[in-house]
Amino acid sequence: MNIAIVCYPTFGGSGVVATELAKGLAEQGHHLHIVSYARPARLDHVQSSIVYHEVDLSTYPLFEFPPYDLALANMLATLIEYEKLDLIHVHYAIPHATSAYLAKQILGEKAAKVPVITTLHGTDITLVGSDPSYKKVVDFSINQSDGVTAVSEYLRQETYDRFDIRNEIEVIPNFVDLERFKPGENEEFRKEFAPNGEFILSHVSNFREVKRVGNVVEVFARILEDGVAAKLLMVGDGPERIKAQQRCRDLKICEHVSFLGKQDNVEELLAISDLFYIPSGSETFGLAALEAMSCGVPVISSNVGGLPEVNLEGVTGYLSELDDIEGMTQGSLELLRDPSKMREFSTNARARAEQFEKQRIVSLYEAYYDKACAKLS
Ligand code: GMT
């Protein structure tokens, strides 16, 4: 098939899923067009079956805000017409689903057999999408899509609860490349961060408020107070990073914490980690947790959103109520103090991740595409 994947180019979330899906589909012999405003971070090497199209965003003195959604619609209409697309798969509803709808309307009959599939990821439903400034458009665009998928049961239900959706939403969970994210024994690399055999605890996110990075620092400080020798790796960057760094200074724990900024090869850092933290206030799936688990790293998470569908309480890690610093500290200490439990959870984490194996989930998308095309033919 000749497929356009529309996504944000960002390091985390939907951009990663969309790009990895494109790669997985290319491996199955499909031809892919990735459409975005910048080259996605995970589109890291050139291959003939994946073409990247950057949306042309012309500016004009009248435009305080250049209309990206129109430029995207224009590009999608052009691709349908000249690249003979079979299907458009948009990731994150706003504005991608709306632009795809518009592109089809522009071409009328010529595009009638090109299905638009919308995959809902998270804040496109739970935060931005539900904002009154966008809600009606999101509602409309989801209902106009020829197929709608959500990355977790939780998100599927939230979408029905928050919007007036008449479409059937299919859950196709996120996935992980088990070869890329795998347990490792890189002692040399480990020593760079933990020269005296300390535990390595890690967190990876875009450091937005919803990620509750401050909680990671608080839990870590208590673990140190409890006499456990450990180092904390904070990977990624975003608005809350400065506050978290300041808190480390206040707590006088800076020598034990490394803020590493945005990193391309997070798998190398995860592979040397002993525990992973994702104490988010809201998380529709928690891809970062799955990637850590795939590296055999048990997860300490909050018990919100889709996280319990990924991280299993008392099996692959522990889930605490939101902002329960004490609970997360106790969960961490239980594992850090009991090597055999830590090994057992680590094995369980990898085994759980295997259920989200990349090619298996890619096949679910292929089957879903076939169904959508058959409906329109
Ligand atoms: O909000 C973000 O963190 C980014 C967002 C996205 O759509 O780019 O991430 C969401 O999608 C990810 C991939 O499906 C999920 O793993 C994340 O849980 C989800 N984030 C939130 O719900 C906060």
Side-chain angles (χ1 to χ4, degrees):
M1 278 175 111
N2 199 14
I3 302 164
I5 298 246
V6 183
C7 66
Y8 284 108
T10 45
F11 271 85
S14 59
V16 168
V17 174
T19 313
E20 293 296 342
L21 174 61
K23 291 187 204 167
L25 289 164
E27 279 164 28
Q28 297 306 307
H30 300 284
H31 190 78
L32 276 298
H33 299 265
I34 296 197
V35 184
S36 192
Y37 59 74
R39 192 177 59 80
R42 286 269 178 110
L43 194 58
D44 37 19
H45 66 276
V46 186
Q47 62 188 94
S48 61
S49 49
I50 305 184
V51 184
Y52 163 57
H53 303 268
E54 191 156 307
V55 177
D56 248 336
L57 196 55
S58 304
T59 54
Y60 184 69
L62 271 185
F63 296 159
E64 193 182 350
F65 308 105
Y68 179 73
D69 26 17
L70 299 187
L72 175 58
N74 195 78
M75 171 159 276
L76 290 175
T78 309
L79 290 177
I80 294 174
E81 193 166 12
Y82 297 109
E83 298 287 341
K84 308 285 177 238
L85 294 183
D86 295 308
L87 181 139
I88 298 175
H89 186 177
V90 306
H91 290 258
Y92 208 89
I94 309 174
H96 303 154
T98 320
S99 301
Y101 167 77
L102 181 55
K104 277 189 74 167
Q105 291 302 306
I106 291 168
L107 294 176
E109 257 312 298
K110 277 195 228 166
K113 291 191 175 146
V114 180
V116 171
I117 311 291
T118 298
T119 289
L120 309 172
H121 279 273
T123 48
D124 47 350
I125 296 302
T126 57
L127 226 64
V128 202
S130 305
D131 188 296
S133 352
Y134 299 111
K135 192 168 178 296
K136 279 188 192 308
V137 178
V138 175
D139 218 321
F140 175 81
S141 309
I142 294 175
N143 278 314
Q144 292 301 320
S145 298
D146 302 294
V148 184
T149 76
V151 299
S152 64
E153 279 297 338
Y154 163 80
L155 183 58
R156 176 179 185 270
Q157 199 46 55
E158 277 295 293
T159 310
Y160 283 128
D161 292 348
R162 288 171 186 253
F163 295 91
D164 187 15
I165 301 300
R166 295 180 300 278
N167 279 354
E168 183 51 44
I169 302 176
E170 181 143 327
V171 175
I172 301 186
N174 287 334
F175 53 85
V176 65
D177 181 341
L178 296 170
E179 266 311 298
R180 178 170 180 174
F181 291 86
K182 59 181 180 212
E185 293 282 328
N186 192 342
E187 277 311 309
E188 278 310 300
F189 189 45
R190 210 186 145 90
K191 271 194 193 140
E192 284 185 30
F193 299 101
N196 302 309
E198 298 91 340
F199 287 110
I200 297 182
L201 317 183
S202 61
H203 170 77
V204 181
S205 79
N206 47 22
F207 285 56
R208 284 175 312 149
E209 205 183 334
V210 71
K211 301 294 175 182
R212 300 284 216 276
V213 287
N215 285 352
V216 180
V217 172
E218 298 300 332
V219 170
F220 181 66
R222 291 187 185 205
I223 289 169
L224 290 181
E225 249 175 55
D226 227 82
V228 174
K231 299 287 181 186
L232 175 63
L233 306 184
M234 298 288 272
V235 185
D237 207 347
E240 295 294 301
R241 198 244 313 140
I242 289 179
K243 262 197 255 165
Q245 270 177 321
Q246 184 55 47
R247 186 65 185 141
C248 290
R249 286 181 206 117
D250 296 344
L251 290 164
K252 302 197 175 12
I253 57 172
C254 292
E255 61 178 302
H256 303 295
V257 186
S258 304
F259 283 86
L260 299 173
K262 292 179 184 168
Q263 295 291 333
D264 281 335
N265 299 323
V266 279
E267 65 274 19
E268 290 170 18
L269 295 163
L270 291 172
I272 56 163
S273 300
D274 297 296
L275 278 184
F276 184 79
Y277 289 84
I278 179 162
S280 307
S282 159
E283 203 72 65
T284 56
F285 183 88
L287 183 61
L290 179 61
E291 292 181 339
M293 285 160 59
S294 186
C295 294
V297 185
V299 169
I300 303 293
S301 73
S302 48
N303 191 13
V304 302
L307 280 169
E309 293 174 47
V310 181
N311 184 24
L312 306 180
E313 167 67 18
V315 179
T316 62
Y318 289 113
L319 295 105
S320 295
E321 291 316 306
L322 190 54
D323 296 332
D324 180 4
I325 306 291
E326 188 50 34
M328 288 187 273
T329 308
Q330 287 316 317
S332 310
L333 290 172
E334 238 183 270
L335 292 171
L336 295 169
R337 291 243 153 87
D338 184 343
S340 83
K341 197 171 214 178
M342 181 70 113
R343 270 196 303 277
E344 181 195 327
F345 274 48
S346 164
T347 307
N348 294 345
R350 172 71 185 183
R352 175 78 181 137
E354 284 168 3
Q355 295 173 353
F356 298 88
E357 191 266 325
K358 180 173 168 178
Q359 273 323 321
R360 189 177 81 77
I361 308 294
V362 169
S363 309
L364 296 181
Y365 276 113
E366 283 182 292
Y368 193 74
Y369 292 169
D370 288 342
K371 240 176 26 188
C373 290
K375 261 202 281 180
L376 295 191
S377 66

